[in-house]
Amino acid sequence: MSAKDDDNDGQAAEREVIQGEIDSTTEEAPKKKRGAHRAPDQEDEARVAEDTKPDGLGAELAAVRSELDERTHDLQRVTAEYANYRKRVDRDRGAAAEQTTGAVLTALLPVLDDIDRAREHGDLVGPFASVAEQLTAVTGKLGLVAFGEKGDPFDPNRHEAVAHQTSADVTEATCVEVMRRGYTLGERLLRPAMVAVADPE
């Protein structure tokens, strides 16, 4: 083998070494580039995840608050309806009790009229007087109030005029005689008073 052949072999070996280094460099460069690109992608994904996490919690919190407001509104509505129901029941119960009491007292009014006539004639004596006083006391406790006295101003809403006359002794329409007393139960008129009315001359 000549010196020239040795040089050629050495150059070929050197070329192989250089080509090997170039190939290894070329292979590593894309790896480094791919690695360099991979890291920012992971960071971006993490950043996006962190950015979307509060939005998800915010949406969930808003949904919970909306549901809470709706339930609170429902509770307030039910509470108001129940309060109105209780008021209505109490009012109806009171009205029913007043109507029942009024019906019983209205049935007793003729008895009270007889007691009044007996008192006027002086017949209200002995045990009968005691019974009359007890009956008057009981009806008074139930809220029955008698009205209609001689000299009262005439009120067409409370008095039933069965006779009219004129008189110089009055300055306005006045009850000059009471034939039958009237009765009220609270603000309710059970029976008007039957009276004779005198008008001024």
Side-chain angles (χ1 to χ4, degrees), residues 26-71:
T26 304
E27 290 176 0
E28 288 178 2
K31 290 182 181 179
K32 289 181 180 180
K33 287 182 181 179
R34 285 196 297 271
H37 285 299
R38 191 178 299 124
D41 288 343
Q42 293 174 354
E43 290 178 3
D44 291 341
E45 290 175 1
R47 191 179 302 110
V48 169
E50 289 178 1
D51 290 341
T52 56
K53 191 181 258 187
D55 291 341
L57 290 177
E60 184 177 355
L61 180 59
V64 170
R65 284 180 177 173
S66 177
E67 185 174 357
L68 177 61
D69 291 341
E70 184 178 352
R71 295 294 180 268

Side-chain angles (χ1 to χ4, degrees), residues 94-168:
E98 184 178 349
Q99 288 178 354
T100 303
T101 303
V104 172
L105 292 175
T106 300
L108 290 175
L109 293 184
V111 178
L112 297 176
D113 292 339
D114 291 340
I115 292 173
D116 287 340
R117 282 191 287 271
R119 186 181 290 110
E120 290 175 0
H121 290 87
D123 296 334
L124 200 60
V125 293
F128 183 60
S130 177
V131 172
E133 289 177 2
Q134 290 179 6
L135 181 60
T136 302
V138 170
T139 56
K141 287 180 180 179
L142 292 175
L144 186 68
V145 177
F147 68 91
E149 298 293 338
K150 186 176 179 179
D152 288 345
F154 175 71
D155 183 355
N157 296 318
R158 292 165 57 89
H159 299 119
E160 180 183 354
V162 295
H164 279 89
Q165 64 187 50
T166 59
S167 174

Side-chain angles (χ1 to χ4, degrees), residues 16-28:
E16 289 178 2
V17 171
I18 292 173
Q19 185 64 39
E21 290 178 359
I22 291 173
D23 292 341
S24 63
T25 304
T26 304
E27 290 176 0
E28 288 178 2

Side-chain angles (χ1 to χ4, degrees), residues 73-89:
H73 179 70
D74 291 343
L75 178 61
Q76 291 173 346
R77 179 175 52 78
V78 171
T79 302
E81 289 178 355
Y82 179 67
N84 292 334
Y85 168 76
R86 287 187 57 185
K87 290 178 182 178
R88 186 170 59 254
V89 168

